[in-house]
Amino acid sequence: MPDFIWLIVSALFIAAWVRPIVLTSLRALHMLQLEEYQTVRYLRWLTANRWLIVDQSLLFTGIFVALFSLPSLLVAPITAFAGIAVGVWQSIKRSTPPAKKPLVLTDRARRLLAGYGVCILIFFSVVASVEAEPLKWAGSSVVFDVAMGAIGLSLALWPLLAVANLLLYPVEAGFRRYFLASARGTLRKYHPMVIGVAGSYGKTSTKAILAHLLATRFPTLATPRSFNTPMGLCRVIREELRPEHQFFIAELGAYRLGEIRELGRLVHPSIGVLTSVGPEHLERFGSLENVVKGEAELLQAIPPDGVAIVNGDDELCRQIANAATCRVVFAGGPAEQRRALWADDVTLTSAGLQFTISRADGRSVKARTRLLGRHSVANILLASAAALECGIAFDDLAEAIDRLEPVEHRLQLIANDNGVTVIDDTYNSNPRGAAAALETLASFQGGRRYLVTPGMVELADYQDTAHREFGLQAAGVCDAVILIGSRRTRAIAEGLVEGGATADRLIITANLSEATERLRDLLRAGDAVLFENDLPDNYVE
């Protein structure tokens, strides 16, 4: 065949495989985004899922076409067109898999995708330039070259994204500096009182409660959802902060030492709220001792004339407070402690909480809320103490607390018309929150109680212990437990057995969809089901 025919065949081969390659590239970008663009964590994910990252269809098609790209034989064009047919079939067959947290094509993602595309083209060109001696002067050699490039891409598409991410690091660092400077300038310009909320658990809920309390009297801006990273805070400050906002509530998240210190230097909180300290993100912090040091950075960020609102019921929080250089206000805690607020007569029901807020000056007020979970009392106390410091009247607390709405996916009751109570706690992934959720489930009487969970993550060596304790508690509460994934939840199953759960009370499914299907056959009016945690796609077994 003339050389230009071979060029057309090669171009058709490439075109046929464009869509499958693009879909794989977007899937890789999605995983990197879920790993917060951290190259090391992304590479660990690749290592753990190495059997998934080779595009076998592209690999075997490339090998087949390369082996049979022989000159002057009828088999060469037939083989090439077979490769094109497979590519077309894969383009039709493949689709973007459903995602719990879909890929978001932010500006950074688009920049990375462009750089990644350049890396793919360069890699393909280099691999495709390898000549096979028998085909050196044959027209079909271009098909062989393209097939070799396809083989290379089938193996390297996922790792190439890590290369692109590293190469673009200086560019992203420049954008980061710009956004940080811009956000600092906006804060200086509008000068709201900044309240930083940090802690291992309860940050988002406490922030939402505090924002509700302050908004009854003052224009208030709080970071939405779990926007608690430097770039997340920068985005909120630059896009949403206005001159009329008197208060800015910033959730401060951390995965390692120094991150809350960095966030403190960005927002300069005058008031800090420390919700709790416990085993969180141990795979990244390294130890509970580092978690304590990391959360202590909040109090170090508060100026001497500022105030720290500290959970007095948390022993580690009290230890951190001992080293504070600012004024400390304890919410809750033992009677002998200099606590400002505490809760008495706490009643936990399936309809919410009832309790009395008592104050050090002897005043008290009865409060009730639709929020579920005993730990919500601590969150409300912390938010109330901060609100009082900001000028909210003590007598106004009860009415504001009564109007609190549950934070989405955090012990949230889901309304339905089939008589089944659904408790959505899918955004909690910590031992303390899981225990509180089971206590809440136990308050639902009259029907059977079900638990659906994939377990907890990022607890390092403590994970099996936490899971076993979780399973032991669940055995005493639940009529049946549905575990999602068998490997991660093994210790939960062991705890269930240790707690006396029989085999018929344990169901193991591959994913949440399968678990939901099983529930449809099990649930009837009057039953209650707790969905405890829902892991993102990068944790799916």
Side-chain angles (χ1 to χ4, degrees):
M1 288 195 306
D3 287 350
F4 77 90
I5 299 295
W6 289 112
L7 290 173
I8 293 174
V9 170
S10 300
L12 289 174
F13 183 93
I14 293 172
W17 282 95
V18 165
R19 186 172 187 273
I21 289 173
V22 168
L23 290 177
T24 300
S25 301
L26 291 174
R27 175 70 172 161
L29 179 60
H30 186 203
M31 291 302 106
L32 180 61
Q33 189 175 79
L34 291 175
E35 296 293 356
E36 298 166 346
Y37 298 102
Q38 296 183 26
T39 303
V40 173
R41 288 185 58 82
Y42 173 74
L43 290 175
R44 285 176 183 166
W45 185 91
L46 290 187
T47 302
N49 297 273
R50 53 191 175 276
W51 60 87
L52 297 176
I53 63 174
V54 175
D55 190 327
Q56 295 184 7
S57 297
L58 182 58
L59 173 63
F60 291 121
T61 301
I63 292 174
F64 178 78
V65 173
L67 288 176
F68 291 96
S69 293
L70 301 175
S72 304
L73 291 175
L74 182 61
V75 72
I78 293 175
T79 302
F81 281 109
I84 293 170
V86 174
V88 171
W89 175 63
Q90 286 292 311
S91 296
I92 297 172
K93 174 186 174 183
R94 292 194 191 185
S95 61
T96 303
K100 299 174 185 177
K101 184 179 179 182
L103 170 67
V104 181
L105 287 177
T106 61
D107 290 340
R108 178 174 185 174
R110 288 189 175 92
R111 290 192 296 269
L112 180 54
L113 200 57
Y116 180 38
V118 172
C119 288
I120 289 174
L121 289 175
I122 293 174
F123 179 84
F124 180 85
S125 300
V126 170
V127 176
S129 66
V130 177
E131 289 284 359
E133 191 63 30
L135 304 177
K136 191 170 183 179
W137 306 109
S140 61
S141 66
V142 67
V143 175
F144 176 86
D145 294 341
V146 169
M148 290 301 296
I151 293 170
L153 285 183
S154 71
L155 301 172
L157 269 179
W158 291 78
L160 277 174
L161 183 59
V163 174
N165 197 42
L166 289 173
L167 291 174
L168 285 174
Y169 180 81
V171 175
E172 296 305 327
F175 278 107
R176 181 186 177 92
R177 287 191 295 270
Y178 167 76
F179 290 134
L180 287 170
S182 175
R184 289 191 182 102
T186 301
L187 285 171
R188 285 194 300 267
K189 180 180 179 181
Y190 298 148
H191 199 60
M193 176 173 282
V194 177
I195 304 171
V197 182
S200 300
Y201 324 123
K203 295 186 295 295
T204 304
S205 297
T206 302
K207 172 194 67 181
I209 296 168
L210 177 56
H212 170 80
L213 297 180
L214 290 180
T216 61
R217 182 175 172 186
F218 307 107
T220 302
L221 173 66
T223 52
R225 300 184 298 279
S226 294
F227 276 51
N228 56 20
T229 63
M231 291 301 98
L233 291 182
C234 284
R235 179 179 173 183
V236 175
I237 293 167
R238 297 176 67 246
E239 296 179 3
E240 299 185 35
L241 188 64
R242 298 291 180 265
E244 61 268 21
H245 287 133
Q246 296 182 38
F247 291 95
F248 173 52
I249 308 172
E251 181 178 332
L252 311 181
Y255 293 107
R256 57 181 62 86
L257 285 172
E259 291 191 335
I260 291 182
R261 182 182 301 113
E262 179 186 0
L263 292 168
R265 289 171 178 166
L266 169 62
V267 300
H268 298 288
S270 300
I271 299 176
V273 181
L274 184 59
T275 62
S276 61
V277 178
E280 62 157 343
H281 307 304
L282 291 179
E283 289 183 359
R284 295 192 241 189
F285 268 112
S287 68
L288 182 58
E289 180 183 3
N290 283 342
V291 174
V292 174
K293 292 178 180 177
E295 299 299 347
E297 292 171 358
L298 170 66
L299 272 63
Q300 297 164 9
I302 301 171
D305 59 347
V307 58
I309 314 295
V310 176
N311 183 354
D313 291 314
D314 190 305
E315 182 179 354
L316 291 176
C317 285
R318 295 199 301 268
Q319 291 178 16
I320 290 173
N322 290 334
T325 58
C326 62
R327 182 166 61 91
V328 175
V329 172
F330 286 105
E336 64 273 12
Q337 183 175 276
R338 61 183 196 281
R339 54 188 184 176
L341 290 179
W342 64 91
D344 291 319
D345 306 321
V346 178
T347 301
L348 174 68
T349 72
S350 59
L353 296 162
Q354 296 178 18
F355 54 97
T356 299
I357 300 179
S358 299
R359 195 173 182 179
D361 61 6
R363 301 169 67 188
S364 64
V365 62
K366 292 187 180 298
R368 64 180 183 180
T369 177
R370 285 173 290 171
L371 301 188
L372 299 175
R374 192 176 300 274
H375 62 302
S376 293
V377 176
N379 297 338
I380 291 171
L381 284 177
L382 287 162
S384 297
L388 292 174
E389 291 290 331
C390 296
I392 297 295
F394 182 73
D395 293 336
D396 294 336
L397 287 179
E399 183 181 354
I401 291 170
D402 187 51
R403 296 200 304 270
L404 284 171
E405 294 288 342
V407 178
E408 192 175 18
H409 306 303
R410 288 173 170 85
L411 282 184
Q412 178 188 15
L413 283 181
I414 304 297
N416 58 74
D417 55 5
N418 59 7
V420 175
T421 299
V422 176
I423 309 169
D424 179 359
D425 201 37
T426 51
Y427 275 19
N428 273 332
S429 181
N430 64 80
R432 203 174 299 179
L438 282 176
E439 184 185 22
T440 300
L441 180 63
S443 69
F444 286 81
Q445 305 294 327
R448 296 168 301 172
R449 297 184 290 260
Y450 292 90
L451 167 67
V452 180
T453 182
M456 295 167 272
V457 295
E458 292 198 11
L459 295 176
D461 295 338
Y462 180 61
Q463 183 159 301
D464 281 351
T465 300
H467 276 175
R468 196 168 288 106
E469 292 173 354
F470 184 40
L472 187 62
Q473 182 186 0
V477 173
C478 305
D479 292 281
V481 175
I482 300 179
L483 301 178
I484 300 174
S486 58
R487 293 197 305 272
R488 184 182 300 105
T489 61
R490 173 186 53 80
I492 300 178
E494 293 173 356
L496 286 165
V497 173
E498 184 181 345
T502 54
D504 61 311
R505 292 170 58 191
L506 175 60
I507 301 170
I508 299 177
T509 63
N511 51 55
L512 181 59
S513 297
E514 184 181 338
T516 304
E517 287 297 321
R518 296 295 297 272
L519 278 173
R520 287 195 179 100
D521 298 329
L522 295 170
L523 292 173
R524 59 174 181 251
D527 291 344
V529 56
L530 166 65
F531 288 88
E532 180 61 25
N533 201 16
D534 184 20
L535 300 176
D537 298 271
N538 51 324
Y539 284 107
V540 174
E541 292 185 3

